[in-house]
């Protein structure tokens, strides 16, 4: 943890209080002159401090920043999000996360960008990632699981994301397998990519794009009918660093439980949050098109669809359209 991270963590641990320069210098193991220098740098980055002689400094406000220092200052996890690589603008966080993972980046490494110029979703679709509005991030995982269980990680991530959004008092639904919806419109997409050998997972990269503070005018006209943001749903902006902290905390809890107890609880929660089940759907895979009722997930996390003849089909990857809307 660098000095800026230590300083911000100290203020997060003592909200609304004055902290002496001497105390900060002790916990950061640096001089008071160095403390003053780093606080001035934080001021230039948008942090507002009040300084009172003999009392010290008080953090008054902080910017909606996606810097590693800001995110880590209130991160309460053991593994997920403890190593953060933050950028202002990148082509795609997925590519950077793959590169880091291939070079041995520890599990839980999170690549975050304020803007993506080449964001993508499932099947290579373009994902709009404008500056200063959303969260565009990719998480490195190294689960010791069979390759066949890797798709379960998308469902786990969807449940974690849904829970995180609910903590901000926003109702949410999951569309199979990787989309999060609020008020009938898409707010988040999840993309899981796998690097594996014949019998083992080397690492997984989970890419997440979530519209946080977009206003309706930020969306292209073609998207305004189908996309939304947390800000639009809540009626006020959300600090993006805080949302990442909440998500990482919830994801870690679910992930550790999953590794020790299996998929059962994730299945129950996903089905409870799903907008895809017990509805007539059209499923389009690369091989065929099926119609019927989506009835649930099996124990492996595969979608089950009963066609009009009563035959049950296993759907591993597909696009879904609803016949009742």
């Amino acid at each position: 943890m660098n000095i800026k991270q230590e300083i911000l963590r100290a203020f997060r641990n003592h909200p609304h209080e004055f902290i002496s320069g001497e105390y900060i210098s002790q916990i950061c193991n640096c001089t008071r002159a160095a403390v003053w220098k780093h606080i001035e740098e934080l001021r230039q980055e948008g942090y507002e401090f009040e300084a009172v002689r003999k009392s010290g400094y008080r953090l008054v406000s902080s910017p909606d920043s996606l810097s590693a220092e800001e995110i880590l200052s209130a991160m309460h996890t053991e593994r997920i999000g403890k190593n953060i690589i933050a950028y202002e603008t990148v082509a795609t966080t997925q590519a950077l996360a793959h590169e880091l993972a291939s070079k041995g980046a520890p599990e839980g490494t999170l690549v975050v960008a304020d803007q993506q110029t080449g964001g993508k979703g499932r099947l290579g679709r373009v994902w709009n990632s404008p500056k200063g509005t959303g969260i565009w991030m990719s998480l490195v995982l190294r689960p010791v699981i069979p390759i066949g269980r890797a798709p379960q990680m998308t469902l786990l991530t969807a449940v974690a994301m849904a829970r995180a959004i609910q903590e901000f008092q926003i109702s949410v639904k999951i569309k199979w397998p990787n989309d999060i919806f609020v008020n009938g419109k898409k707010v988040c997409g999840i993309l899981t990519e796998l690097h594996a050998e014949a019998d083992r997972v080397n690492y997984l990269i989970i890419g997440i794009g979530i519209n946080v503070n977009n206003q309706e005018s930020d969306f292209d006209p073609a998207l305004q009918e189908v996309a939304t943001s947390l800000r639009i749903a809540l009626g006020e902006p959300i600090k993006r660093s805080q949302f990442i902290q909440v998500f990482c905390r919830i994801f870690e809890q679910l992930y550790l439980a999953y590794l020790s107890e299996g998929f059962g609880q994730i299945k129950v929660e996903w089905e409870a949050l799903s907008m895809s089940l017990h509805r007539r759907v059209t499923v389009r895979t690369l091989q065929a098109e099926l119609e019927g009722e989506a009835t649930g997930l099996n124990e492996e996390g595969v979608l089950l669809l009963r066609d009009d003849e009563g035959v049950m089909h296993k759907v591993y990857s597909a696009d879904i359209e609803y016949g009742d809307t």
Side-chain angles (χ1 to χ4, degrees):
M1 185 175 293
N2 63 34
I3 293 177
K4 282 186 184 178
Q5 291 171 19
E6 290 279 11
I7 290 173
L8 289 174
R9 183 175 289 274
F11 285 108
R12 299 286 187 245
N13 291 336
H14 299 84
H16 315 300
E17 298 179 18
F18 282 94
I19 305 176
S20 70
E22 179 63 29
Y23 173 77
I24 297 173
S25 69
Q26 289 175 1
I27 63 172
C28 295
N29 194 27
C30 66
T31 66
R32 293 185 64 175
V35 170
W36 178 86
K37 172 179 175 290
H38 283 92
I39 284 180
E40 288 304 304
E41 289 179 357
L42 287 168
R43 279 187 169 126
Q44 293 174 14
E45 294 171 14
Y47 294 86
E48 183 182 351
F49 294 93
E50 181 182 1
V52 175
R53 187 176 177 82
K54 294 185 179 180
S55 294
Y57 303 93
R58 181 172 70 92
L59 179 61
V60 177
S61 66
S62 57
D64 184 26
S65 167
L66 290 183
S67 69
E69 289 85 3
E70 175 66 20
I71 298 168
L72 288 167
S73 68
M75 183 70 76
H76 300 294
T77 58
E78 295 297 324
R79 186 185 312 180
I80 303 301
K82 296 297 284 186
N83 180 39
I84 291 180
I85 316 297
Y87 298 89
E88 286 194 15
T89 302
V90 299
T92 164
T93 59
Q94 283 292 93
L96 292 170
H98 273 288
E99 181 180 353
L100 290 167
S102 68
K103 294 178 179 178
E107 179 170 71
T109 294
L110 190 64
V111 181
V112 181
D114 193 41
Q115 180 184 30
Q116 287 187 134
T117 58
K120 62 179 181 177
R122 285 182 66 245
L123 306 176
R125 296 189 180 100
V126 173
W127 180 274
N128 190 32
S129 314
K131 185 177 180 64
T133 58
I135 295 171
W136 329 115
M137 60 185 182
S138 296
L139 178 64
V140 177
L141 295 176
R142 301 183 183 276
V144 182
I145 58 174
I147 293 175
R149 288 177 58 188
Q152 296 174 353
M153 296 306 305
T154 300
L155 305 176
L156 185 156
T157 305
V159 171
M161 180 57 67
R163 275 203 203 176
I165 293 172
Q166 288 173 329
E167 287 212 4
F168 291 85
Q169 309 306 310
I170 299 172
S171 297
V172 63
K173 288 291 185 180
I174 302 173
K175 179 182 178 183
W176 188 87
N178 66 332
D179 292 336
I180 309 296
F181 275 63
V182 169
N183 297 328
K185 296 182 178 182
K186 184 173 177 178
V187 76
C188 174
I190 299 164
L191 175 66
T192 302
E193 295 179 334
L194 170 69
H195 186 279
E197 297 176 13
D199 59 349
R200 62 186 295 267
V201 173
N202 290 329
Y203 63 81
L204 286 166
I205 305 295
I206 298 182
I208 298 169
I210 177 166
N211 300 325
V212 182
N213 288 326
N214 313 63
Q215 300 191 72
E216 189 169 340
S217 59
D218 293 323
F219 294 109
D220 292 335
L223 294 177
Q224 290 179 2
E225 293 299 316
V226 296
T228 190
S229 73
L230 302 184
R231 178 175 183 167
I232 292 171
L234 189 61
E236 61 185 51
I238 291 173
K239 187 160 287 187
R240 291 176 295 163
S241 60
Q242 180 187 3
F243 189 90
I244 292 173
Q245 292 153 3
V246 170
F247 170 77
C248 287
R249 169 175 54 81
I250 293 171
F251 184 94
E252 182 170 276
Q253 293 169 354
L254 288 173
Y255 181 59
L256 294 179
Y258 166 80
L259 292 179
S260 62
E261 301 168 16
F263 183 64
Q265 186 57 38
I266 300 299
K267 176 181 182 296
V268 170
E269 289 200 44
W270 189 95
E271 289 182 334
L273 289 163
S274 175
M275 62 185 287
S276 302
L277 301 187
H278 312 299
R279 302 176 64 173
R280 184 166 184 83
V281 299
T282 299
V283 173
R284 293 184 175 88
T285 71
L286 293 176
Q287 293 79 29
E289 179 176 306
L290 299 170
E291 290 188 14
E293 179 188 356
T295 63
L297 302 177
N298 68 9
E299 296 306 315
E300 285 72 48
V302 176
L303 182 68
L304 300 176
L305 181 141
R306 181 187 295 111
D307 68 20
D308 293 338
E309 283 70 47
V311 177
M312 194 70 75
H313 301 266
K314 294 181 179 180
V315 182
Y316 293 87
S317 179
D319 283 337
I320 284 184
E321 292 181 2
Y322 301 124
D324 55 359
T325 59

mmCIF file of all heavy atoms in Angstrom, residues 85 87 89-101 111 113 138 140:
data_model
loop_
_atom_site.group_PDB
_atom_site.id
_atom_site.type_symbol
_atom_site.label_atom_id
_atom_site.label_comp_id
_atom_site.label_asym_id
_atom_site.label_seq_id
_atom_site.Cartn_x
_atom_site.Cartn_y
_atom_site.Cartn_z
ATOM 1 N N ILE A 85 -5.384 -2.476 -10.605
ATOM 2 C CA ILE A 85 -4.677 -1.764 -11.667
ATOM 3 C C ILE A 85 -5.696 -0.851 -12.322
ATOM 4 O O ILE A 85 -6.666 -1.331 -12.931
ATOM 5 C CB ILE A 85 -4.084 -2.729 -12.716
ATOM 6 C CG1 ILE A 85 -3.396 -3.921 -12.040
ATOM 7 C CG2 ILE A 85 -3.139 -1.989 -13.645
ATOM 8 C CD1 ILE A 85 -2.215 -3.566 -11.185
ATOM 9 N N TYR A 87 -6.787 2.517 -14.783
ATOM 10 C CA TYR A 87 -6.414 3.308 -15.952
ATOM 11 C C TYR A 87 -7.495 4.353 -16.208
ATOM 12 O O TYR A 87 -8.654 4.163 -15.866
ATOM 13 C CB TYR A 87 -6.291 2.430 -17.200
ATOM 14 C CG TYR A 87 -5.236 1.360 -17.130
ATOM 15 C CD1 TYR A 87 -5.538 0.102 -16.614
ATOM 16 C CD2 TYR A 87 -3.943 1.606 -17.577
ATOM 17 C CE1 TYR A 87 -4.570 -0.900 -16.559
ATOM 18 C CE2 TYR A 87 -2.974 0.609 -17.529
ATOM 19 C CZ TYR A 87 -3.289 -0.631 -17.014
ATOM 20 O OH TYR A 87 -2.337 -1.614 -16.958
ATOM 21 N N THR A 89 -8.015 5.510 -19.580
ATOM 22 C CA THR A 89 -8.587 5.038 -20.840
ATOM 23 C C THR A 89 -7.810 3.826 -21.342
ATOM 24 O O THR A 89 -6.578 3.845 -21.353
ATOM 25 C CB THR A 89 -8.542 6.144 -21.915
ATOM 26 O OG1 THR A 89 -9.255 7.290 -21.440
ATOM 27 C CG2 THR A 89 -9.185 5.665 -23.210
ATOM 28 N N VAL A 90 -8.526 2.780 -21.723
ATOM 29 C CA VAL A 90 -7.908 1.593 -22.310
ATOM 30 C C VAL A 90 -8.783 1.132 -23.468
ATOM 31 O O VAL A 90 -9.932 1.551 -23.605
ATOM 32 C CB VAL A 90 -7.765 0.442 -21.288
ATOM 33 C CG1 VAL A 90 -6.887 0.849 -20.127
ATOM 34 C CG2 VAL A 90 -9.133 -0.027 -20.802
ATOM 35 N N ALA A 91 -8.232 0.255 -24.290
ATOM 36 C CA ALA A 91 -9.059 -0.370 -25.330
ATOM 37 C C ALA A 91 -10.078 -1.289 -24.676
ATOM 38 O O ALA A 91 -11.284 -1.192 -24.905
ATOM 39 C CB ALA A 91 -8.193 -1.123 -26.326
ATOM 40 N N THR A 92 -9.591 -2.205 -23.836
ATOM 41 C CA THR A 92 -10.473 -3.118 -23.114
ATOM 42 C C THR A 92 -9.754 -3.656 -21.881
ATOM 43 O O THR A 92 -8.584 -4.050 -21.959
ATOM 44 C CB THR A 92 -10.930 -4.292 -23.999
ATOM 45 O OG1 THR A 92 -11.481 -5.333 -23.169
ATOM 46 C CG2 THR A 92 -9.800 -4.886 -24.801
ATOM 47 N N THR A 93 -10.436 -3.676 -20.754
ATOM 48 C CA THR A 93 -9.837 -4.225 -19.534
ATOM 49 C C THR A 93 -9.645 -5.731 -19.643
ATOM 50 O O THR A 93 -8.750 -6.282 -18.989
ATOM 51 C CB THR A 93 -10.717 -3.909 -18.308
ATOM 52 O OG1 THR A 93 -12.030 -4.468 -18.485
ATOM 53 C CG2 THR A 93 -10.823 -2.409 -18.079
ATOM 54 N N GLN A 94 -10.440 -6.410 -20.471
ATOM 55 C CA GLN A 94 -10.298 -7.856 -20.619
ATOM 56 C C GLN A 94 -8.915 -8.231 -21.132
ATOM 57 O O GLN A 94 -8.260 -9.136 -20.608
ATOM 58 C CB GLN A 94 -11.360 -8.402 -21.584
ATOM 59 C CG GLN A 94 -12.749 -8.543 -21.020
ATOM 60 C CD GLN A 94 -12.894 -9.599 -19.961
ATOM 61 O OE1 GLN A 94 -12.772 -9.281 -18.770
ATOM 62 N NE2 GLN A 94 -13.186 -10.823 -20.339
ATOM 63 N N ALA A 95 -8.460 -7.540 -22.174
ATOM 64 C CA ALA A 95 -7.154 -7.854 -22.752
ATOM 65 C C ALA A 95 -6.042 -7.623 -21.738
ATOM 66 O O ALA A 95 -5.100 -8.423 -21.623
ATOM 67 C CB ALA A 95 -6.928 -7.006 -24.002
ATOM 68 N N LEU A 96 -6.133 -6.544 -20.978
ATOM 69 C CA LEU A 96 -5.112 -6.251 -19.975
ATOM 70 C C LEU A 96 -5.131 -7.284 -18.857
ATOM 71 O O LEU A 96 -4.080 -7.699 -18.367
ATOM 72 C CB LEU A 96 -5.327 -4.851 -19.407
ATOM 73 C CG LEU A 96 -5.087 -3.701 -20.379
ATOM 74 C CD1 LEU A 96 -5.576 -2.391 -19.781
ATOM 75 C CD2 LEU A 96 -3.608 -3.597 -20.734
ATOM 76 N N ALA A 97 -6.319 -7.707 -18.458
ATOM 77 C CA ALA A 97 -6.415 -8.720 -17.403
ATOM 78 C C ALA A 97 -5.851 -10.059 -17.865
ATOM 79 O O ALA A 97 -5.177 -10.758 -17.102
ATOM 80 C CB ALA A 97 -7.871 -8.878 -16.970
ATOM 81 N N HIS A 98 -6.102 -10.431 -19.117
ATOM 82 C CA HIS A 98 -5.513 -11.659 -19.663
ATOM 83 C C HIS A 98 -3.987 -11.580 -19.631
ATOM 84 O O HIS A 98 -3.306 -12.553 -19.271
ATOM 85 C CB HIS A 98 -5.985 -11.876 -21.104
ATOM 86 C CG HIS A 98 -7.274 -12.612 -21.220
ATOM 87 N ND1 HIS A 98 -7.392 -13.959 -20.967
ATOM 88 C CD2 HIS A 98 -8.521 -12.190 -21.555
ATOM 89 C CE1 HIS A 98 -8.644 -14.339 -21.158
ATOM 90 N NE2 HIS A 98 -9.360 -13.274 -21.518
ATOM 91 N N GLU A 99 -3.452 -10.441 -20.019
ATOM 92 C CA GLU A 99 -1.999 -10.278 -20.031
ATOM 93 C C GLU A 99 -1.427 -10.392 -18.624
ATOM 94 O O GLU A 99 -0.419 -11.083 -18.399
ATOM 95 C CB GLU A 99 -1.645 -8.915 -20.635
ATOM 96 C CG GLU A 99 -0.142 -8.650 -20.718
ATOM 97 C CD GLU A 99 0.185 -7.299 -21.323
ATOM 98 O OE1 GLU A 99 -0.735 -6.608 -21.808
ATOM 99 O OE2 GLU A 99 1.366 -6.922 -21.296
ATOM 100 N N LEU A 100 -2.072 -9.745 -17.658
ATOM 101 C CA LEU A 100 -1.605 -9.812 -16.279
ATOM 102 C C LEU A 100 -1.714 -11.230 -15.725
ATOM 103 O O LEU A 100 -0.809 -11.722 -15.047
ATOM 104 C CB LEU A 100 -2.419 -8.851 -15.405
ATOM 105 C CG LEU A 100 -2.171 -7.361 -15.630
ATOM 106 C CD1 LEU A 100 -3.246 -6.538 -14.935
ATOM 107 C CD2 LEU A 100 -0.787 -6.961 -15.120
ATOM 108 N N ALA A 101 -2.839 -11.910 -16.013
ATOM 109 C CA ALA A 101 -3.035 -13.271 -15.512
ATOM 110 C C ALA A 101 -1.993 -14.223 -16.086
ATOM 111 O O ALA A 101 -1.472 -15.098 -15.375
ATOM 112 C CB ALA A 101 -4.440 -13.754 -15.843
ATOM 113 N N VAL A 111 -8.719 -5.124 -12.806
ATOM 114 C CA VAL A 111 -8.334 -4.085 -13.763
ATOM 115 C C VAL A 111 -9.549 -3.198 -13.986
ATOM 116 O O VAL A 111 -10.609 -3.679 -14.365
ATOM 117 C CB VAL A 111 -7.863 -4.702 -15.095
ATOM 118 C CG1 VAL A 111 -7.449 -3.601 -16.064
ATOM 119 C CG2 VAL A 111 -6.705 -5.662 -14.860
ATOM 120 N N ALA A 113 -11.080 0.663 -15.526
ATOM 121 C CA ALA A 113 -10.846 1.802 -16.414
ATOM 122 C C ALA A 113 -12.003 2.784 -16.316
ATOM 123 O O ALA A 113 -13.159 2.384 -16.146
ATOM 124 C CB ALA A 113 -10.675 1.342 -17.855
ATOM 125 N N SER A 138 -12.334 -5.850 -15.047
ATOM 126 C CA SER A 138 -12.111 -7.276 -15.295
ATOM 127 C C SER A 138 -11.399 -7.875 -14.094
ATOM 128 O O SER A 138 -10.416 -7.308 -13.596
ATOM 129 C CB SER A 138 -11.274 -7.491 -16.561
ATOM 130 O OG SER A 138 -11.968 -7.033 -17.704
ATOM 131 N N VAL A 140 -9.510 -11.165 -12.213
ATOM 132 C CA VAL A 140 -8.725 -12.387 -12.413
ATOM 133 C C VAL A 140 -9.065 -13.384 -11.307
ATOM 134 O O VAL A 140 -8.964 -13.063 -10.117
ATOM 135 C CB VAL A 140 -7.209 -12.088 -12.383
ATOM 136 C CG1 VAL A 140 -6.408 -13.395 -12.516
ATOM 137 C CG2 VAL A 140 -6.830 -11.113 -13.488
#
